[in-house]
Amino acid sequence: MRQKTSSFYGSKKIIHIDMDAFFAAVEQRDQPALKGKPVIVGGNPQSRSVVSTCSYEARKFGIHSAMPTAQAKRLCPQGIFLYPNFEKYRAVSKTIMSILNTYTPLVEQVSLDEAYLDVTENRFNIEDPVTLAKLIKQHIFAVTHLTASAGVAPNMFLAKIASDMKKPNGITVVPLEKVPDFLRDLPVRKIPGVGPRTEEILSKMNIKTCGELKDVPFKSLCEKFGKWGMELHRKAHGEEDREVNPFWERTQLSAEETFAKDITDISWLKRKLAQLAENVFHDLQQEGRTGKTIVLKVKYHDFEQITRSKTLSLPPRDWYVLHETACDLLKKKTLAGKKPIRLLGLGVSGLKSPKEAALTSQKELF
Ligand code: TTP
Ligand code: MG
């Protein structure tokens, strides 16, 4: 036993758990006729809505989260299209999180279906984190009849990358001594936080893998990316300081997009804000949270970045309130129309759960 876990010694033992095709799996569980079928959870294919998720059977048709539902329907006309039932998913999520908490109090929930556990010390005094990950997966399945994938690693970002590698129902283990091998051929895009923009800049520097990124001098990365460069350098070496924080709570939810070219046309920018508002509102609904402060982020063509915000008297009840507020900020508080814009972001901050929000508004009445 000691032999097996020695590679983790002197470091942390982190498990990242991510449920497989979460919303779709819950639907397949509750309607056995859907088992083995392409199930797509999202909005109406007749509207401009997007796919929340789909079963692994549907993924074979090229369908994925955030794809327009209409496109999913074209790719898989025989697919079974369902509306999401957030209340049900929230209840299942609560059960899963309470299972995780029986192993260690150090559980950081990241979304409805995803969490990190620091099992360096755990309630069962099990030394081998892989044994624990297997137990946790079995436990979740026994109670919910749903499968999860797990990543086991010495830190959070490696555990997250690992949990995605053998989906569905897999476990990927990255012991400390295997970290360099694990990162060598891993595409830089797999590093959490590396989006299309960073990927593009790195690609222009001929860097496609974490192994190649590791060899870039620290100074060059900092010159290119500032603080983010420092972070990238550490990640390429498999290092991270973050601790699993059970009290972490998302206080802001946002969406943003970098455009293929810089934009001056205000009507185009407003249309883009409508899409961002729909996405953000959808995510708020999914998490069952509300907030009153609307934040607009603008990055101009010269990379100058500004954020402007407005606090409403009530949380937005629909996406178009978000959209209207963002358009108002864009018009009155930015140089949109005069100075070309490369990125727009829209967020809601000061987030509260519906229960907290209800309590606050009751207090405000007295
Ligand atoms: P994910 O864990 O990203 O996806 P998943 O669980 O459906 O599939 P897998 O992990 O096996 O790849 O997201 C969890 C849930 O969050 C997902 O079931 C639906 C929801 N979701 C959205 O509503 N919109 C999105 O764009 C994404 C990515 C997820
Ligand atoms: Mg998942």
Side-chain angles (χ1 to χ4, degrees):
M1 178 67 99
R2 217 165 178 82
Q3 193 71 23
K4 209 169 168 193
T5 61
S6 60
S7 47
F8 280 90
Y9 272 14
S11 63
K12 277 187 288 192
K13 298 170 189 173
I14 306 293
I15 299 179
H16 179 257
I17 294 283
D18 189 321
M19 302 302 294
D20 301 320
F22 187 48
F23 294 3
V26 172
E27 298 303 339
Q28 285 181 318
R29 175 195 74 175
D30 294 348
Q31 302 178 58
L34 302 182
K35 287 222 165 80
K37 304 247 167 77
V39 173
I40 298 104
V41 181
N44 184 343
Q46 253 59 269
S47 73
R48 288 186 23 212
S49 61
V50 292
V51 171
S52 298
T53 192
C54 61
S55 64
Y56 275 78
E57 293 83 0
R59 294 183 196 198
K60 290 183 194 143
F61 294 85
I63 302 172
H64 56 77
S65 295
M67 170 184 276
T69 328
Q71 190 184 348
K73 179 85 184 158
R74 281 196 297 277
L75 287 171
C76 181
Q78 72 275 37
I80 298 152
F81 288 78
L82 302 173
Y83 288 112
N85 180 343
F86 295 113
E87 220 170 292
K88 183 156 76 171
Y89 311 141
R90 275 199 289 275
V92 181
S93 169
K94 231 173 142 183
T95 306
I96 295 163
M97 296 305 151
S98 59
I99 291 173
L100 301 184
N101 269 285
T102 60
Y103 291 84
T104 166
L106 293 182
V107 176
E108 180 174 321
Q109 179 176 357
V110 191
S111 70
L112 282 183
D113 85 326
E114 194 189 332
Y116 294 95
L117 294 88
D118 184 333
V119 296
T120 317
E121 283 172 28
N122 58 80
R123 298 202 212 266
F124 300 98
N125 292 325
I126 296 176
E127 237 176 66
D128 178 15
V130 185
T131 305
L132 263 172
K134 284 182 188 156
L135 263 179
I136 292 170
K137 273 165 51 61
Q138 283 164 7
H139 193 162
I140 294 175
F141 188 78
V143 177
T144 66
H145 299 288
L146 297 169
T147 62
S149 294
V152 184
N155 64 36
M156 293 168 77
F157 96 95
L158 289 172
K160 176 160 174 82
I161 299 172
S163 75
D164 201 39
M165 297 198 110
K166 288 190 200 132
K167 267 185 165 291
N169 202 12
I171 298 189
T172 303
V173 186
V174 192
L176 195 57
E177 79 228 9
K178 291 273 163 55
V179 171
D181 291 344
F182 179 75
L183 288 173
R184 188 164 300 116
D185 298 321
L186 193 79
V188 285
R189 187 64 192 269
K190 294 276 179 189
I191 299 177
V194 173
R197 182 81 190 124
T198 308
E199 188 185 27
E200 191 196 321
I201 299 174
L202 289 173
S203 166
K204 283 188 184 143
M205 296 162 71
N206 261 329
I207 296 156
K208 298 226 159 37
T209 65
C210 295
E212 289 161 350
L213 183 60
K214 189 171 178 251
D215 294 335
V216 181
F218 178 69
K219 201 163 158 261
S220 331
L221 280 180
C222 291
E223 273 164 17
K224 204 93 193 165
F225 297 99
K227 242 173 127 183
W228 176 223
M230 273 162 66
E231 196 57 26
L232 279 173
H233 180 81
R234 297 210 62 200
K235 298 233 156 105
H237 286 77
E239 293 164 10
E240 187 187 52
D241 277 339
R242 261 175 84 203
E243 301 272 343
V244 172
N245 176 5
F247 304 109
W248 182 85
E249 208 169 339
R250 196 202 291 278
T251 56
Q252 171 157 1
L253 212 154
S254 62
E256 63 179 47
E257 190 175 324
T258 303
F259 313 132
K261 56 183 176 83
D262 304 331
I263 308 287
T264 316
D265 179 355
I266 295 248
S267 338
W268 193 97
L269 292 167
K270 285 183 173 174
R271 282 201 296 280
K272 195 44 80 181
L273 281 179
Q275 282 171 19
L276 294 174
E278 275 186 293
N279 290 346
V280 171
F281 194 77
H282 174 267
D283 290 349
L284 283 174
Q285 277 191 312
Q286 185 194 317
E287 293 200 5
R289 293 159 78 77
T290 53
K292 292 191 284 194
T293 304
I294 316 300
V295 185
L296 174 74
K297 173 169 149 187
V298 171
K299 201 186 269 181
Y300 296 108
H301 68 107
D302 57 2
F303 282 85
E304 185 202 351
Q305 185 176 303
I306 57 163
T307 53
R308 298 290 179 260
S309 64
K310 182 173 178 181
T311 301
L312 305 173
S313 51
L314 285 171
R317 285 186 192 277
D318 210 332
W319 70 268
Y320 60 77
V321 179
L322 276 181
H323 181 227
E324 267 175 21
T325 313
C327 288
D328 200 43
L329 287 169
L330 185 78
K331 210 172 112 199
K332 295 186 181 149
K333 303 268 177 79
T334 75
L335 295 172
K338 298 185 192 90
K339 189 168 173 180
I341 290 177
R342 60 177 294 116
L343 171 150
L344 273 184
L346 175 55
V348 177
S349 72
L351 292 185
K352 291 190 166 101
S353 67
K355 205 165 149 194
E356 283 174 302
L359 284 172
T360 317
S361 61
Q362 271 173 10
K363 274 189 208 143
E364 279 165 3
L365 285 175
F366 294 101

